[in-house]
Amino acid sequence: MDKKAMFAISYGLFVVTAAEQGKHNGCITNTVMQVTADPNRISVAVNKSNHTCGMIERTGRFTANIISQAATFELFKRFGFQSGRDVNKFEGFSGAWAGECGMIVFEGTNAWIAAEVERTVDLGTHLLFIGKVLDMETLNDTPSATYAYYQEHIKPKPRAAEGGGEGKTVWRCRICGYEYTGEEIPEDFICPICKHPASDFEKVP
Ligand code: FE
């Protein structure tokens, strides 16, 4: 089985936000899609380890902010590489205002869609939320950033693998570019930068 076939699927990128008791949080996902048109519904799968996941589960509301090609790597670091359990991801961020279903991010995005959860499916590692669209708005006409666009144009280019040669094996995180040196990468390894698992690392040739 060729696991790389999964990379042939194209994805968008989103800041999914939620609000609970006046506290705001959000995380980066590539899993938002429209699932029905009438009624208009979207779905999003969120990893249970994300603080945002529990907030959506408890409040039944979320906003999907669609990331555009104007987004900087800073946006991904702010919402993707740290946890809302430890920090307020919106601190010092001027690119958002409070919406009824979570923060509306207008910096590095081109539209937002707010939804009310109708159904939640437990998928083990993730919860899949299916929500009815309550409100939405187009902010500008900058094209949406696909996951491929992020890899090609937004994520910093990794430096040449240090200690390559010399028989050392380097593994690079496909998500953020972090490099791990070692013959095999431990199965339970978690990227210290973006928190993705060992399966998201590839051997640097
Ligand atoms: Fe990473």
Side-chain angles (χ1 to χ4, degrees):
M1 186 166 70
D2 177 10
K3 287 187 183 168
K4 286 211 166 122
M6 297 304 288
F7 298 130
I9 301 175
S10 61
Y11 295 95
L13 288 167
F14 314 89
V15 183
V16 173
T17 56
E20 184 177 28
Q21 295 174 339
K23 290 208 172 131
H24 288 277
N25 194 27
C27 63
I28 305 271
T29 79
N30 62 347
T31 57
V32 174
M33 66 171 77
Q34 184 183 27
V35 285
T36 60
D38 188 19
N40 194 12
R41 293 187 184 101
I42 59 173
S43 70
V44 60
V46 186
N47 193 303
K48 287 179 184 173
S49 68
N50 283 323
H51 190 46
T52 308
C53 186
M55 292 174 72
I56 298 172
E57 192 182 17
R58 290 184 294 271
T59 63
R61 288 178 170 225
F62 65 91
T63 296
N65 297 277
I66 293 103
I67 295 176
S68 78
Q69 293 182 3
T72 63
F73 189 58
E74 292 305 308
L75 185 83
F76 290 88
K77 283 206 294 195
R78 175 179 287 276
F79 291 105
F81 297 177
Q82 51 185 358
S83 172
R85 283 189 194 88
D86 311 322
V87 296
N88 172 6
K89 294 187 185 182
F90 287 96
E91 194 174 297
F93 186 64
S94 57
W97 72 78
E100 286 190 22
C101 304
M103 290 295 260
I104 291 165
V105 179
F106 58 84
E107 195 178 289
T109 59
N110 59 18
W112 58 268
I113 303 170
E116 179 174 45
V117 176
E118 285 186 335
R119 201 174 303 174
T120 302
V121 184
D122 191 329
L123 300 174
T125 55
H126 291 64
L127 290 181
L128 176 70
F129 299 109
I130 298 165
K132 184 177 71 181
V133 173
L134 297 181
D135 199 4
M136 54 186 162
E137 184 184 11
T138 304
L139 301 171
N140 57 67
D141 55 12
T142 306
S144 299
T146 60
Y147 186 63
Y149 184 90
Y150 167 78
Q151 293 286 351
E152 206 47 43
H153 300 284
I154 299 176
K155 186 177 82 172
K157 291 277 176 271
R159 50 208 160 72
E162 287 167 15
E166 299 304 310
K168 280 190 190 161
T169 306
V170 175
W171 299 79
R172 184 180 295 145
C173 177
R174 286 194 188 95
I175 312 302
C176 74
Y178 176 84
E179 289 175 355
Y180 173 91
T181 304
E183 204 43 49
E184 288 301 327
I185 189 160
E187 261 178 50
D188 59 352
F189 188 78
I190 302 284
C191 176
I193 306 295
C194 73
K195 315 298 181 205
H196 276 245
S199 55
D200 281 321
F201 280 70
E202 62 190 349
K203 223 180 238 189
V204 178

